[in-house]
């Protein structure tokens, strides 16, 4: 177990560093005011309109960095700061979330795969580690009956969460690429504003990368605990 705690601690540290840098970047680029004077809400509505999407609503939600696209009710949900502000960070986030709406409208395969996994992961992710630990307590490490299969079930659940994390990567990177391409091609931002938007989205993507690597590392660790000591 000590090795697991070291692994989790290292991942948590890297995640905290990346998250802290992301917040600093957004604070920095929130001070870069857009020359066109448009708010995040207006940026989002124009991007949707430019892509022929008229059935998606742009709404404001509470919190910081709580921005997301909801495919169930077709809403682009922007945090209050992004919704109302007129800066490079707000433009980047608003356009990124609209990138997800465009993915949905165009039936982007990776987004469809991620959406299909959501109900599975929401149920299984919270219990996967406990199942593996419970299986090991029951003798899974030695390949003993019930404990072994309980641990394997936990690993399957953990594998689904890991797969979800890795499928999320192309979804997020593609949404950012769509956002940046539109901001540039439509001359929505100046070169300085574009650099700020690009840098902010780069750090946002890194949070997903760290999460995916952490999920894989955890899966491999527990897989070794279950299968490493098994006697055939």
């Amino acid at each position: 177990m000590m090795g697991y705690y070291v692994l989790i601690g290292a991942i948590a540290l890297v995640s905290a560093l990346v998250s802290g840098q992301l917040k600093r970047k957004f604070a920095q680029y929130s001070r870069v005011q857009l020359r066109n004077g448009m708010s995040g809400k207006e940026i989002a509505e124009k991007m949707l309109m430019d892509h022929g999407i008229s059935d998606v609503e742009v709404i404001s939600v509470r919190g910081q960095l709580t921005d997301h696209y909801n495919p169930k009710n077709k809403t682009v949900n922007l945090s209050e700061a992004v919704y109302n502000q007129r800066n490079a960070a707000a433009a980047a986030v608003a356009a990124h979330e609209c990138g997800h709406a465009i993915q949905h409208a165009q039936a982007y395969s990776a987004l469809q795969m991620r959406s299909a996994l959501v109900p599975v992961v929401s149920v299984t992710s919270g219990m996967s580690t406990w199942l593996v630990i419970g299986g090991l307590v029951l003798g899974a490490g030695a390949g003993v009956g019930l404990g072994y299969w309980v641990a394997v079930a936990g690993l399957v659940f953990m594998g689904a969460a890991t797969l979800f994390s890795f499928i999320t990567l192309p979804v997020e990177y593609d949404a950012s690429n769509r956002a940046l391409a539109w901001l540039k091609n439509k001359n929505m931002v100046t070169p300085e504003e574009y650099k700020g938007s690009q840098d902010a989205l780069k750090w946002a993507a890194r949070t997903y990368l760290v999460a995916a690597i952490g999920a894989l590392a955890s899966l491999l660790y527990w897989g070794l605990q279950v299968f490493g000591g098994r006697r055939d």
Side-chain angles (χ1 to χ4, degrees), residues 53-137:
I53 299 174
S54 58
D55 59 346
V56 173
E57 183 182 5
V58 181
I59 62 176
S60 177
V61 294
R62 293 181 178 179
Q64 183 181 20
L65 298 178
T66 52
D67 313 87
H68 64 282
Y69 170 67
N70 188 332
K72 290 184 178 180
N73 59 14
K74 291 190 174 182
T75 56
V76 170
N77 301 266
L78 302 179
S79 59
E80 294 171 343
V82 172
Y83 187 88
N84 295 308
Q85 295 303 310
R86 306 168 189 273
N87 53 59
V93 173
H96 173 88
E97 298 308 333
C98 287
H100 289 309
I102 296 165
Q103 290 172 339
H104 188 200
Q106 297 179 355
Y108 179 58
S109 59
L111 180 64
Q112 291 181 317
M113 291 174 64
R114 186 175 74 167
S115 298
L117 281 171
V118 167
V120 177
V121 172
S122 63
V123 172
T124 62
S125 61
M127 66 178 75
S128 60
T129 302
W130 294 111
L131 282 173
V132 175
I133 294 174
L136 288 169
V137 170

Side-chain angles (χ1 to χ4, degrees), residues 1-229:
M1 289 294 291
M2 182 57 68
Y4 178 67
Y5 291 134
V6 171
L7 173 64
I8 292 301
I11 293 170
L13 176 60
V14 173
S15 179
L17 291 173
V18 172
S19 180
Q21 182 69 350
L22 172 62
K23 290 179 180 179
R24 285 189 290 273
K25 289 292 183 180
F26 270 85
Q28 175 184 345
Y29 298 124
S30 291
R31 295 191 291 270
V32 179
Q33 297 300 306
L34 292 182
R35 188 172 298 178
N36 64 24
M38 295 176 70
S39 67
K41 174 181 181 291
E42 293 165 340
I43 290 283
E45 290 176 339
K46 177 164 176 54
M47 185 171 174
L48 293 171
M49 182 178 66
D50 285 352
H51 286 83
I53 299 174
S54 58
D55 59 346
V56 173
E57 183 182 5
V58 181
I59 62 176
S60 177
V61 294
R62 293 181 178 179
Q64 183 181 20
L65 298 178
T66 52
D67 313 87
H68 64 282
Y69 170 67
N70 188 332
K72 290 184 178 180
N73 59 14
K74 291 190 174 182
T75 56
V76 170
N77 301 266
L78 302 179
S79 59
E80 294 171 343
V82 172
Y83 187 88
N84 295 308
Q85 295 303 310
R86 306 168 189 273
N87 53 59
V93 173
H96 173 88
E97 298 308 333
C98 287
H100 289 309
I102 296 165
Q103 290 172 339
H104 188 200
Q106 297 179 355
Y108 179 58
S109 59
L111 180 64
Q112 291 181 317
M113 291 174 64
R114 186 175 74 167
S115 298
L117 281 171
V118 167
V120 177
V121 172
S122 63
V123 172
T124 62
S125 61
M127 66 178 75
S128 60
T129 302
W130 294 111
L131 282 173
V132 175
I133 294 174
L136 288 169
V137 170
L138 292 173
V144 176
L146 178 62
Y148 174 74
W149 292 110
V150 168
V152 168
L155 288 175
V156 171
F157 291 166
M158 198 176 292
T162 303
L163 178 61
F164 180 84
S165 295
F166 276 90
I167 290 176
T168 293
L169 293 179
V171 173
E172 295 299 328
Y173 278 101
D174 179 79
S176 290
N177 289 338
R178 291 173 189 262
L180 293 170
W182 178 79
L183 289 171
K184 187 175 184 178
N185 294 337
K186 293 293 183 176
N187 295 313
M188 297 301 297
V189 292
T190 66
E192 180 189 4
E193 294 163 357
Y194 178 83
K195 288 180 180 178
S197 297
Q198 185 180 44
D199 194 32
L201 290 180
K202 177 183 70 177
W203 280 98
R206 286 176 178 172
T207 63
Y208 293 100
L209 179 60
V210 171
I213 293 173
L216 178 60
S218 185
L219 176 63
L220 292 175
Y221 174 85
W222 286 117
L224 285 173
Q225 303 310 304
V226 174
F227 299 119

